[in-house]
């Protein structure tokens, strides 16, 4: 208080996480949760009873094709992309460095969205090149808003990785992809990745892991409920992810906790 006037300022934490211009801002994450995800949570009881997401009740649109519902407008798609970008600005470095990935020089980031994970990879591993594989409309917006020409070791591949060809690479990153889908669809995708993978190559899953007895962490449990109301999948335990990878053909499955929200699972062909 000075001369009967009151001045306000952000604390260090709010300045870091709540202001739009901070590189670690969670503004877009909070905005998306408030304006989109929370509307689905209004129908949590129905989701539990029906065992399916609630896009039809929340927004009046069919969710038979999940990402057509998520990307129901250009505005909604860009909001989702900013959400994903803000998450990996906070956790991305940890999940790509918890294992030493320097031996994998050719990486495909399936569903790589804004390129936040790809940027962390090329920063941590100077010899690595990363290709972001995503839907054509996502790739277009990623180029416009998130990945400038200065990122010369990042390229793009347009397509639907469930339907279209997956090129050969040393490593495939699937960050928050497997938790979107049920087991049958995940096995379809993982087997396709296994066939594309170079001998000796690998796959890195990045997910919010549940404890083996599913007693926590609370954030992963809440994310699992969110998968119920918003998607088709769930969060899983390390052994559940390991089983999926092994059924797809992968071996030498290793799990590493980062101490943050997201953890990593690496497996080899």
């Amino acid at each position: 208080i000075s001369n009967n006037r009151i001045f306000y300022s952000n604390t260090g934490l709010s300045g870091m996480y709540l202001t739009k211009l901070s590189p670690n801002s969670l503004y877009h994450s909070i905005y998306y949760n408030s304006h989109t995800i929370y509307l689905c949570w209004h129908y949590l009881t129905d989701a539990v009873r029906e065992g399916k997401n609630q896009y039809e009740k929340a927004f009046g649109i069919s969710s038979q094709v999940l990402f057509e519902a998520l990307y129901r407008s250009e505005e909604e798609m860009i909001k989702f992309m900013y959400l994903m970008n803000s998450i990996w600005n906070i956790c991305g470095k940890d999940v790509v460095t918890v294992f030493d990935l320097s031996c994998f020089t050719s990486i495909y980031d399936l569903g790589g969205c804004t390129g936040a994970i790809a940027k962390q990879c090329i920063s941590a591993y100077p010899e690595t090149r990363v290709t972001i594989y995503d839907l054509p409309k996502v790739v277009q917006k990623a180029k416009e808003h998130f990945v400038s020409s200065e990122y010369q070791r990042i390229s793009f591949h347009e397509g639907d990785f469930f339907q279209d060809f997956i090129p050969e690479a040393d490593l495939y990153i699937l960050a928050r992809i497997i938790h979107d889908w049920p087991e049958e669809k995940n096995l379809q995708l993982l087997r396709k990745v296994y066939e594309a993978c170079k001998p000796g190559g690998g796959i890195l899953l990045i997910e919010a892991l549940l404890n083996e007895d599913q007693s926590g962490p609370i954030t992963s449990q809440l994310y699992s409920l969110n998968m119920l109301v918003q998607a088709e999948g769930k969060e899983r335990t390390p052994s559940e992810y390991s089983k999926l990878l092994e059924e797809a053909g992968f071996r030498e499955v290793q799990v590493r906790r980062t101490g943050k929200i997201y953890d990593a699972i690496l497996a080899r062909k």
Side-chain angles (χ1 to χ4, degrees), residues 95-114:
V95 292
V96 302
T97 58
V98 70
F99 292 102
D100 181 2
L101 305 179
S102 59
C103 61
F104 303 111
T105 57
S106 169
I107 297 176
Y108 262 71
D109 185 2
L110 303 186
C113 199
T114 67

Side-chain angles (χ1 to χ4, degrees), residues 32 53 55-56 59-74 76-77 80 134-135 137-138 160 163 181 185 230-232:
Y32 190 84
N53 70 58
Y55 271 100
E56 195 154 354
F59 303 108
I61 58 172
S62 170
S63 62
Q64 288 186 339
V65 180
L66 176 60
F67 277 84
E68 285 186 9
L70 276 167
Y71 297 157
R72 57 193 174 276
S73 68
E74 182 175 310
E76 198 65 26
M77 181 178 72
F80 179 83
D134 218 314
L135 299 171
K137 58 186 178 182
V138 176
D160 178 337
Q163 304 296 329
W181 311 105
K185 196 159 187 176
Q230 204 193 3
E232 298 177 12

Side-chain angles (χ1 to χ4, degrees), residues 53-150:
N53 70 58
Q54 297 299 303
Y55 271 100
E56 195 154 354
K57 290 190 180 75
F59 303 108
I61 58 172
S62 170
S63 62
Q64 288 186 339
V65 180
L66 176 60
F67 277 84
E68 285 186 9
L70 276 167
Y71 297 157
R72 57 193 174 276
S73 68
E74 182 175 310
E75 178 189 7
E76 198 65 26
M77 181 178 72
I78 291 173
K79 284 197 297 184
F80 179 83
M81 293 177 74
Y82 272 106
L83 160 77
M84 298 304 296
N85 199 65
S86 67
I87 289 167
W88 297 130
N89 283 341
I90 300 294
C91 303
K93 181 178 179 180
D94 298 271
V95 292
V96 302
T97 58
V98 70
F99 292 102
D100 181 2
L101 305 179
S102 59
C103 61
F104 303 111
T105 57
S106 169
I107 297 176
Y108 262 71
D109 185 2
L110 303 186
C113 199
T114 67
I117 288 286
K119 291 175 187 176
Q120 295 290 353
C121 284
I122 64 169
S123 174
Y125 306 107
E127 304 302 317
T128 291
R129 304 185 72 87
V130 183
T131 301
I132 298 166
Y133 190 133
D134 218 314
L135 299 171
K137 58 186 178 182
V138 176
V139 167
Q140 178 188 347
K141 295 304 174 186
K143 289 178 178 178
E144 288 178 15
H145 297 281
F146 300 99
V147 183
S148 64
S149 58
E150 70 180 276

Side-chain angles (χ1 to χ4, degrees), residues 234-253:
K234 61 181 181 179
E235 307 303 339
R236 295 173 173 84
T237 66
S239 62
E240 287 175 318
Y241 282 113
S242 296
K243 182 180 178 183
L244 278 169
L245 287 165
E246 288 167 355
E247 285 187 31
F250 290 99
R251 296 291 179 267
E252 300 178 35
V253 180

